[in-house]
Amino acid sequence: MINNESVLAVVTARGGSKRLPDKNILKLNGKPLIAWSISSGIESRVVDKVVVSTDSKKLAEIGQQYGAEVPFMRPHELASDTAQSVDVILHVLDTLEDVGEKYKYLLLLQPTSPMRTARHIEAAFELLVEKNASAVVSVCELEHPIEWTNTLPDDLSMDKFLAADFSNKRSQDFSTRYRLNGAIYVIETELLRKQRSFLPTSGCYAYVMDRVSSVDIDCLEDFQYVEFLMNNREK
């Protein structure tokens, strides 16, 4: 709870994964990947309830084992590759509201961000209060200047790959840019219903996280990198 307003955290986890099969249940430093996100929500001082939305019985069992609630299974139509996160979250909100549960704020915790901690969640809500915001979204610095990027033609020619003004600039000469890191999305539930977006047109602020805490697991190499980071952090 924050400022006497209720907070629902939802961990979204489909059973299928093409790039890294069964990634949400893979053991990461002794715990299933999904468990790290569940724990961060439960351990934070602001979350009233953590719910797992999944179509997988195995993930549902793991979610309950680590303290989350799984009051219903995700419908088949919301478990496809093309299903949007906002529709999954609205299904959770609608289903809970049908049994009399309403929440002021929604916190989306994607299981692919295991380096996000309870402290990060609390800091995001502190920013929400400080800014009197309607939403807070986590970001991190870009690893390299976006000015050093471009598309490539089929023949891989790099003619005019960089604009003339950028070719001799050092990385520190460019303005700092940020990207969404996928770790934390906080938004007023009614605003989410109205705009169907975690990035509303106004009243949204960025919570800046460091790059290490922002690692998103999409493939085996990401998984191994996070495992390395966790092992060395403990040492």
Side-chain angles (χ1 to χ4, degrees):
M1 186 167 285
I2 188 80
N3 279 1
N4 295 317
E5 299 286 1
S6 55
V7 177
L8 173 69
V10 179
V11 181
T12 54
R14 288 193 307 118
S17 176
K18 292 182 178 179
R19 294 187 182 180
L20 184 57
D22 295 324
K23 68 179 177 183
N24 289 321
I25 64 175
L26 291 180
K27 287 290 183 70
L28 175 64
N29 209 24
K31 295 199 303 189
L33 177 60
I34 189 177
W36 293 95
S37 291
I38 292 171
S39 297
S40 68
I42 290 175
E43 292 168 7
S44 74
R45 296 170 295 176
V46 296
V47 172
D48 295 283
K49 185 173 187 174
V50 177
V51 167
V52 170
S53 171
T54 184
D55 60 320
S56 163
K57 290 184 178 180
K58 179 64 175 178
L59 280 168
E61 292 172 0
I62 292 173
Q64 292 170 328
Q65 177 186 348
Y66 282 90
E69 296 187 28
V70 191
F72 45 80
M73 300 297 290
R74 189 190 302 185
H76 176 72
E77 63 271 18
L78 294 178
S80 67
D81 289 339
T82 57
Q84 296 185 347
S85 292
V86 65
D87 292 320
V88 172
I89 295 301
L90 290 177
H91 169 259
V92 173
L93 293 173
D94 290 342
T95 306
L96 291 178
E97 192 167 316
D98 286 343
V99 295
E101 292 188 31
K102 293 190 68 173
Y103 296 86
K104 174 69 173 181
Y105 295 106
L106 182 283
L107 168 63
L108 171 60
L109 299 176
Q110 299 185 113
T112 50
S113 299
M115 299 296 284
R116 170 238 302 112
T117 67
R119 181 59 196 137
H120 290 124
I121 294 171
E122 292 165 359
F125 274 92
E126 288 168 6
L127 178 66
L128 184 88
V129 173
E130 175 190 336
K131 298 291 188 180
N132 192 26
S134 299
V136 167
V137 175
S138 60
V139 301
C140 66
E141 286 188 22
L142 275 177
E143 290 80 358
H144 304 286
I146 195 171
E147 291 85 355
W148 285 356
T149 68
N150 206 336
T151 58
L152 283 172
D154 292 339
D155 67 356
L156 304 181
S157 170
M158 293 193 70
D159 293 349
K160 299 181 181 180
F161 184 80
L162 296 182
D165 294 345
F166 300 152
S167 59
N168 293 317
K169 277 192 173 183
R170 302 170 304 165
S171 59
Q172 57 264 43
D173 294 331
F174 294 98
S175 298
T176 302
R177 291 178 181 265
Y178 300 85
R179 64 170 176 84
L180 302 176
N181 68 358
I184 295 174
Y185 293 90
V186 179
I187 189 169
E188 293 179 354
T189 55
E190 292 308 308
L191 183 60
L192 180 63
R193 291 184 188 279
K194 182 179 179 181
Q195 297 200 8
R196 292 182 55 81
S197 173
F198 295 100
L199 285 167
T201 53
S202 64
C204 183
Y205 289 83
Y207 169 58
V208 180
M209 293 173 60
D210 63 274
R211 291 177 188 168
V212 169
S213 301
S214 299
V215 178
D216 179 79
I217 293 180
D218 189 49
C219 59
L220 179 60
E221 290 77 14
D222 297 332
F223 192 92
Q224 293 171 334
Y225 178 48
V226 170
E227 203 163 39
F228 167 80
L229 291 173
M230 286 185 170
N231 288 332
N232 280 272
R233 180 177 62 184
E234 290 183 359
K235 291 177 183 177

